[in-house]
């Protein structure tokens, strides 16, 4: 009887501590796919070497995935007879990119361990590796997410904060995901890399006053008052392909490209002190960014027997 009770207790402990029972773990694939992380890293390195902007695009995919029903790979699903995907949502249409890179990574991971590593985890790893490739620090990713079998077009349209968002709207959008204001300001620092379309910042450079006049004039050269909606400008004009803290220094000089960027540093703004801290100390920014990325990657993951591990990131099995 005592032996049976002991076995039952041990079994319960194993179940409670098992990643498959709902806990993400940094060692999740150590036994089932030991080459998973190195395979993703090599593929990201190749993609970013080919096009530096791709690093920012992969980070953005992860962000836009996590803000819609959690980090479940739903952004990768194509439209089909049974699925209305998120790719045509306002925040993603004509701007979300890198899907082909994720396809390549997935194919390479499948070649070393088929049906084991989820697309959601690949997005998480690829975002971290992209930051590292562009000069940022690394951090430990926790893994074990599974993939959604469905997407949410309405969620993508309503939950992802837009470039015209006010500070209060940004704080609310992140709070709704369980992220703090500090997380929000740190994650916004991803805008130290990448580019934005003219249509997302035209109003800011032509009609608003919380912007450096000379900076606005320089950006107008590539973003006319009408037309040229898809013309691109770097989010960080100083070092657009380097992950650093210049984004925050730009905000202090009223050189935030997006209205939502400059909202983080305004007269009397509640987030001014965080911007100043990150502008002053890059190591502080790197530390808080890594923490915030881990927090974001933990938004409502599917684990255990929920969802599935897709073999093709664009469609359910």
């Amino acid at each position: 009887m005592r032996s049976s009770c002991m076995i039952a207790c041990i079994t319960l402990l194993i179940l409670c501590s098992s990643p498959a029972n709902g806990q993400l773990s940094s060692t999740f694939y150590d036994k089932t796919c030991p080459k998973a992380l190195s395979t993703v890293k090599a593929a990201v390195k190749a993609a970013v070497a080919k096009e530096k902007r791709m690093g920012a695009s992969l980070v953005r995919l992860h962000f836009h995935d996590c803000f819609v029903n959690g980090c479940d790979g739903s952004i990768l699903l194509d439209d089909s007879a049974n699925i209305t995907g998120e790719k045509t949502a306002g925040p993603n249409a004509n701007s979300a990119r890198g899907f082909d890179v994720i396809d390549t990574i997935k194919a390479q991971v499948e070649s070393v361990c088929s049906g084991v590593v989820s697309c959601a985890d690949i997005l998480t790893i690829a975002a971290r590796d992209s930051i590292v490739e562009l000069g940022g620090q690394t951090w430990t990713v926790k893994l074990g997410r599974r993939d959604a079998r469905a997407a949410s077009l309405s969620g993508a349209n309503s939950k992802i904060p837009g470039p015209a968002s006010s500070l209060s709207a940004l704080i609310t959008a992140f709070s709704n995901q369980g992220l703090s204001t500090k997380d929000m300001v740190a994650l916004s620092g991803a805008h130290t890399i990448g580019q934005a379309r003219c249509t997302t910042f035209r109003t800011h450079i032509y009609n608003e006053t919380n912007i450096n006049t000379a900076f606005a004039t320089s950006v107008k050269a590539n973003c006319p008052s009408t037309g040229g909606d898809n013309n691109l400008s770097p989010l960080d004009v100083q070092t657009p392909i380097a992950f650093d803290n210049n984004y925050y220094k730009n905000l202090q000089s009223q050189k935030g490209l997006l209205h939502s960027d400059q909202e983080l540093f305004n007269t009397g703004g509640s987030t001014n002190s965080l911007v100043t801290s990150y502008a002053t100390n890059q190591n502080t920014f790197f530390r808080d960014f890594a923490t915030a990325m881990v927090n974001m990657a933990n938004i409502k993951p599917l684990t255990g027997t929920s969802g599935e591990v897709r073999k093709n990131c664009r469609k359910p099995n």
Side-chain angles (χ1 to χ4, degrees):
M1 180 72 175
R2 183 177 295 174
S3 176
S4 297
C5 289
M6 186 176 293
I7 292 172
C9 289
I10 292 172
T11 302
L12 181 60
L13 284 171
I14 292 172
L15 287 172
C16 289
S17 62
S18 170
N21 201 48
Q23 297 295 318
L24 300 180
S25 166
S26 61
T27 60
F28 190 84
Y29 296 114
D30 281 8
K31 292 183 178 179
T32 57
C33 191
K35 294 183 179 180
L37 272 73
S38 61
T39 301
V40 176
K41 182 178 180 179
V44 169
K45 187 178 185 69
V48 175
K50 183 178 180 181
E51 183 197 1
K52 294 294 186 182
R53 183 187 171 204
M54 186 53 65
S57 297
L58 293 176
V59 173
R60 188 168 183 260
L61 275 186
H62 179 47
F63 168 60
H64 283 209
D65 180 44
C66 291
F67 263 59
V68 183
N69 297 337
C71 308
D72 59 4
S74 60
I75 193 173
L76 303 174
L77 289 168
D78 286 341
D79 286 357
S80 70
N82 301 315
I83 294 174
T84 300
E86 298 165 15
K87 294 178 180 178
T88 59
N92 297 327
N94 300 315
S95 62
R97 58 197 299 273
F99 299 108
D100 54 337
V101 173
I102 296 299
D103 289 341
T104 298
I105 297 173
K106 178 62 172 174
Q108 292 178 6
V109 172
E110 284 291 304
S111 71
V112 297
C113 49
S114 180
V116 175
V117 182
S118 68
C119 300
D121 273 349
I122 286 174
L123 279 176
T124 306
I125 302 166
R128 187 272 310 272
D129 292 349
S130 293
I131 295 296
V132 173
E133 285 302 309
L134 294 175
Q137 73 173 46
T138 190
W139 62 88
T140 300
V141 289
K142 293 187 176 182
L143 305 168
R145 296 165 196 78
R146 288 166 65 85
D147 299 320
R149 297 187 177 96
S152 176
L153 179 66
S154 61
N157 278 320
S158 62
K159 295 179 181 179
I160 299 172
S165 297
S166 65
L167 179 59
S168 61
L170 290 169
I171 292 172
T172 297
F174 279 75
S175 177
N176 288 342
Q177 302 294 343
L179 298 173
S180 68
T181 298
K182 185 176 183 179
D183 289 331
M184 183 268 290
V185 177
L187 288 170
S188 296
H191 284 180
T192 195
I193 53 176
Q195 301 186 61
R197 294 182 300 145
C198 172
T199 186
T200 64
F201 58 83
R202 178 182 283 120
T203 297
H204 182 48
I205 64 173
Y206 280 97
N207 302 331
E208 298 179 5
T209 58
N210 61 336
I211 187 170
N212 178 281
T213 303
F215 172 67
T217 299
S218 68
V219 177
K220 288 175 183 177
N222 197 42
C223 182
S225 57
T226 58
D229 285 1
N230 292 320
N231 291 356
L232 298 171
S233 289
L235 288 158
D236 170 7
V237 70
Q238 295 187 65
T239 51
I241 57 173
F243 193 83
D244 54 29
N245 65 336
N246 277 335
Y247 167 79
Y248 299 102
K249 295 177 182 179
N250 292 338
L251 298 185
Q252 291 180 311
S253 302
Q254 288 189 304
K255 294 179 182 179
L257 184 65
L258 307 179
H259 172 89
S260 56
D261 287 331
Q262 197 57 56
E263 281 288 283
L264 302 184
F265 193 84
N266 269 320
T267 303
S270 62
T271 55
N272 285 9
S273 61
L274 282 168
V275 171
T276 298
S277 174
Y278 296 153
T280 304
N281 193 320
Q282 181 167 276
N283 289 334
T284 299
F285 163 51
F286 279 8
R287 180 198 67 205
D288 289 354
F289 180 82
T291 298
M293 286 292 283
V294 171
N295 292 341
M296 184 180 75
N298 201 39
I299 298 174
K300 295 184 291 187
L302 298 174
T303 58
T305 57
S306 299
E308 64 182 13
V309 175
R310 286 184 229 137
K311 288 197 172 185
N312 180 336
C313 292
R314 294 177 178 267
K315 61 182 181 180
N317 294 338

